[in-house]
Amino acid sequence: MKDRTLQKILEAEEIRQRNGLELIPSENYVSRDVLEALGSVFTNKYSEGYPGKRYYGGQENTDQIENIAIDRAKKLFGSDHANVQPLSGAPANLAVYQAWLNPGDTVLAMKLDHGGHLTHGAPVTHAAKLYNFVRYGLSDISTGEIDYDEMRQVALKEKPKLIIAGFSGYPRSLDYKKFVEIGNEVGAVLMADMAHIAGLIAGKVLDNPLDFGFHIMTTTTHKTLRGPRGGLILSNGNVSNPLRAPEKTIENLPTLIDRQVFPGLQGGPHMNNILAKAVAFGEALDPSFKVYAKQILKNSKKLSEELIKHDFKLVTGGTDNHLIMIDMPTSFGIDGRITQEAFDKIGLTANCNSIPDDKLPPYRPSGLRLGTPAITTRGLVEGDMVKIADWMKRAVVNRDNEDILKKIKKEVRDFSIKFPLPSDN
Ligand code: DSN
């Protein structure tokens, strides 16, 4: 890069990523091919519309890559249709809402502090001003059990047009069969926001909601799926010409969604990003991705066991996926932000997060959220989780001792640099 100021910052970020360990559960390290696709000449091209139905000329190559991305996404998740154009997870979810709902309609989604996501109708979002969000949550915080009886009662009373299964802070598995039973009973469309676990579904180590009768699945492509930053919508039903408005039926969801992604919400898709999605989907279809997905879960289980041995109290007592949530006030009498800052000082990157019924505010919450997708990409295995849990405990206990923190940081660095970034190859 000719701009020396920016080049120096870019190099510093690469060193930060190399010298430490990324434990934020929504982050990952992409392959060199994905990085090259993102930096390719497809960034120069405008392609409003869909393959075969674009508004501008010069689309012979963009059509090919978008069709490949669509076919690979459908194969990965077993859906009738894929829209690969959403710029990220938030516009993907909004496109679904706009495709199916009218202003004022009701949506049933997980309580935000029980693990639900901002885009599932947090009061600060635009969606919350348009639609009426009602909630389900946990019946037992110690196990993470969802209160499906309450969910059914709320659904019978509120008659939601859409039910969302999905989370960004929930370490357990959802019972998709129960969601579908409740959705069918009240005539709601079922949407799974699988942004966090899409890679685990693609790797066949967690259930696929579409196999249980969900109509729609949204996801980001950059978390466990290990692709570029972006969104993806999978749906079942009839795929027809996106230039003509179809009748609003469940069967027509794929076309209704296409029309809301473009021109409803977005302009030209980012074709460099779609190329990178096609690359990442190809990588996820390779048998090695199953091995990767399996190892994410093994590492997550082992890390949670080690943390428990070191007196960290885990929300729900453990994990079924890639994500671990620690209750820091109960564990060590400090909040999640203080913990995040102590971990930053030793080169372990995590994020503070609300826990169920949190008494602390969102910017300084009680929880510390961890995950194993990125460190598993780096090549770490179960034995390495013993070291990470030990560093974490020492960092928490010695959080006010800069000398000890520096010593741990060196240990983390000396360990981390032995594991190359996938983009090195
Ligand atoms: N920011 C993402 C996460 O960390 O879960 C979701 O939006």
Side-chain angles (χ1 to χ4, degrees):
M1 199 182 290
K2 290 202 184 75
D3 187 322
R4 292 307 303 161
T5 308
L6 296 178
Q7 177 63 27
K8 266 168 94 174
I9 301 170
L10 176 61
E11 282 166 13
E13 175 60 11
E14 198 181 317
I15 290 168
R16 186 194 70 81
Q17 292 192 14
R18 196 179 292 284
N19 288 2
L21 296 175
E22 295 294 333
L23 288 151
I24 293 175
S26 47
E27 294 188 6
N28 216 326
Y29 302 92
V30 298
S31 67
R32 171 157 290 276
D33 286 355
V34 168
L35 276 186
E36 280 177 5
L38 285 170
S40 71
V41 293
F42 276 106
T43 199
N44 299 334
K45 188 75 196 107
Y46 252 128
S47 309
E48 284 98 331
Y50 288 99
K53 296 182 180 57
R54 307 278 190 192
Y55 288 83
Y56 296 1
Q59 306 292 347
E60 61 268 35
N61 301 314
T62 52
D63 276 7
Q64 286 186 63
I65 60 165
E66 186 160 349
N67 277 328
I68 291 172
I70 290 169
D71 288 345
R72 288 182 180 176
K74 282 161 51 179
K75 193 165 172 201
L76 260 185
F77 295 103
S79 62
D80 293 338
H81 186 52
N83 187 307
V84 298
Q85 293 194 5
L87 301 178
S88 205
N93 286 351
L94 261 183
V96 172
Y97 302 160
Q98 291 201 176
W100 189 241
L101 305 171
N102 293 313
D105 279 348
T106 297
V107 182
L108 177 55
M110 198 182 215
K111 284 181 190 162
L112 301 170
D113 71 340
H114 284 203
H117 189 247
L118 269 179
T119 58
H120 303 165
V124 289
T125 60
H126 185 60
K129 294 181 179 61
L130 284 176
Y131 311 114
N132 171 40
F133 285 85
V134 294
R135 300 287 167 195
Y136 62 86
L138 309 186
S139 58
D140 182 354
I141 292 170
S142 68
T143 62
E145 177 70 16
I146 303 269
D147 194 338
Y148 291 99
D149 292 334
E150 186 201 30
M151 183 194 289
R152 179 167 175 270
Q153 292 309 325
V154 176
L156 288 170
K157 179 166 174 272
E158 303 282 351
K159 302 264 178 301
K161 273 189 77 179
L162 184 73
I163 299 180
I164 303 175
F167 50 81
S168 62
Y170 182 66
R172 295 298 183 180
S173 295
L174 299 174
D175 188 339
Y176 300 126
K177 192 164 164 278
K178 289 214 170 98
F179 275 87
V180 171
E181 281 165 10
I182 295 168
N184 289 345
E185 191 176 353
V186 300
V189 160
L190 290 143
M191 162 180 151
D193 177 348
M194 296 290 106
H196 263 262
I197 58 171
L200 301 172
I201 294 169
K204 311 266 185 260
V205 293
L206 290 185
D207 285 340
N208 181 341
L210 297 176
D211 294 342
F212 291 78
F214 275 68
H215 305 97
I216 302 164
M217 186 155 100
T218 61
T219 181
T220 48
T221 47
H222 47 271
K223 297 186 175 88
T224 44
L225 203 46
R226 213 164 57 181
R229 306 198 80 79
L232 169 69
I233 308 174
L234 294 314
S235 54
N236 283 331
N238 177 31
V239 186
S240 58
N241 181 353
L243 299 187
R244 273 204 299 275
E247 205 190 330
K248 217 173 195 182
T249 63
I250 288 185
E251 178 58 26
N252 285 334
L253 276 169
T255 314
L256 293 165
I257 289 168
D258 279 352
R259 288 176 59 81
Q260 286 308 322
V261 172
F262 174 84
L265 269 175
Q266 297 185 176
H270 297 181
M271 295 313 298
N272 57 325
N273 191 277
I274 289 178
L275 176 67
K277 286 176 186 173
V279 171
F281 300 157
E283 291 172 356
L285 283 165
D286 189 88
S288 60
F289 198 82
K290 289 198 177 72
V291 179
Y292 166 62
K294 214 175 189 171
Q295 190 64 45
I296 291 177
L297 293 190
K298 283 189 197 163
N299 285 350
S300 184
K301 269 224 157 12
K302 180 68 177 173
L303 182 56
S304 57
E305 285 163 13
E306 290 301 313
L307 288 167
I308 290 167
K309 281 190 204 158
H310 284 294
D311 304 317
F312 287 91
K313 306 285 180 259
L314 307 193
V315 175
T316 81
T319 180
D320 297 327
N321 56 30
H322 65 301
L323 186 155
I324 297 165
M325 189 77 80
I326 309 172
D327 177 342
M328 287 309 298
T330 309
S331 308
F332 296 103
I334 57 174
D335 63 46
R337 181 157 290 276
I338 291 174
T339 316
Q340 175 186 308
E341 287 166 1
F343 287 180
D344 267 342
K345 288 186 182 166
I346 62 164
L348 298 184
T349 311
N351 74 279
C352 55
N353 207 98
S354 296
I355 61 170
D357 304 335
D358 206 334
K359 292 185 183 57
L360 297 180
Y363 188 72
R364 189 169 280 287
S366 299
L368 196 280
R369 195 181 67 150
L370 302 169
T372 52
I375 53 171
T376 305
T377 295
R378 237 18 223 277
L380 274 65
V381 293
E382 290 97 310
D384 303 315
M385 303 304 116
V386 179
K387 290 194 186 71
I388 293 176
D390 179 61
W391 286 322
M392 286 181 171
K393 174 68 178 279
R394 284 164 60 204
V396 166
V397 171
N398 298 291
R399 60 189 175 277
D400 296 321
N401 187 329
E402 295 296 328
D403 289 339
I404 295 184
L405 291 174
K406 269 192 201 131
K407 186 172 172 295
I408 306 172
K409 184 176 183 162
K410 184 174 180 316
E411 288 174 36
V412 171
R413 181 195 166 276
D414 290 349
F415 173 82
S416 302
I417 55 173
K418 291 189 204 134
F419 298 88
L421 302 185
S423 48
D424 292 341
N425 303 313

